[in-house]
Amino acid sequence: MIESNDQKRLYYNALLDKNTEFDGVFFAGIKTTGVFCHPSCTARKPKFENCEFYQSAEEALLRGYRPCKICNPLSYPQELPDEVKLLVEAIENNPEKKWKDYDFKQLGLNSVSVRRKFKKVYGMTFVQYARSRRIGLAFKAIKRGSKVIDQQLNAGFDSASGFNDAFTKIMGNPSTKIKIKLLNANFIETPIGRMISISDDDFLYLLEFENRRGLETEIFKLRKKQNARLIYGATKISILTTTQIQQYFNQKLDQFTIPLCLDGSVFQKKVWNILINSKQGEHLTYKEIATELGDKNKSQAVGNANGANQIAIVVPCHRVINSNGEIGGYGGGIERKKYLLTLESSKKETP
Ligand SMILES: [Zn+2]
């Protein structure tokens, strides 16, 4: 999201002028209607304070905005092909659905050419688009749900047992037989995208990029394991996490000191601890970690443990690369892994 006031004013003026030159440069989220638009949209223009500006459509979707029907904000620079329009409509008719490749096939939208067109127009795949839209809605509902639960708590309800959080509809409810825990979701802006933290006043449970593949499954498992509902809010731990993540990106942090709730097998925890004890600028390989744990043939298991990490950056799984020097995979995307490794290798030791 664009934060600088000068920039916001510039973009707002472009929006008022319906300036086509800015189409594709930014997207305007309209808080009052919940849609996002091209600057050149012909719909009535909102007040400045009701606008948010985004550099990508994905960001606007993740913030819970839906594409405007008047200006088709994702169509720049060409007209939206009919198949693509059909697809966006199908998703809008059922935005909370967990769309799979199979569903798109059912709509007759699985040809290579439609896929290619979609990717070109939207800068993302069908499945990514549907996921961004769905997660955006869930996050928005978490914020709304938190107000409801605040009211319940203020009204004297001592537990949140009657409360369904935003993920209930998508993912089902945790068991209601034992005490339900409340975990707080919060967001952190970073130079490589927004992150979501999930914490209570004691521990950090999850820290991930909001568009990470598999995020919903991670949240589902966490809610189930902890028998928790998610609300939106800050905790001592989320505040500490925000501070340290910002210091990290400004190259002002040597070591994270956030209390973590690590949930995994004994083996996974051993792997994570090796990562936590590694230094910025250091690279590890799967094989090295396996050897350190006493069995050099366990590279694959180390890889799996690495992939199961859900506390990005703080448990630095991005430091693990392939034995042949190749960068290897990353849940948050290879570009982010490269960024983090470059950031760390250029950091000067603070005396
Ligand atoms: Zn519009």
Side-chain angles (χ1 to χ4, degrees), residues 100-111:
K100 298 266 171 57
D101 278 331
Y102 170 81
D103 300 309
F104 297 118
K105 218 181 256 172
Q106 292 257 299
L107 288 170
L109 290 170
N110 210 34
S111 74

Side-chain angles (χ1 to χ4, degrees), residues 193-229:
R194 196 165 73 150
M195 299 184 86
I196 177 173
S197 73
I198 297 182
S199 66
D200 57 19
D201 272 327
D202 301 316
F203 297 109
L204 178 64
Y205 295 81
L206 180 143
L207 181 67
E208 291 286 16
F209 290 98
E210 66 178 349
N211 61 350
R212 181 208 204 284
R213 226 190 315 139
L215 176 63
E216 286 165 291
T217 312
E218 283 188 2
I219 293 178
F220 173 73
K221 285 187 184 152
L222 173 63
R223 288 166 77 249
K224 212 168 153 195
K225 187 90 188 219
Q226 300 291 333
N227 198 36
R229 305 266 167 94

Side-chain angles (χ1 to χ4, degrees), residues 35-38 41-43 68-72:
V35 303
F36 71 102
C37 285
H38 269 322
C41 183
T42 53
C68 168
K69 280 190 181 152
I70 299 171
C71 65
N72 291 320

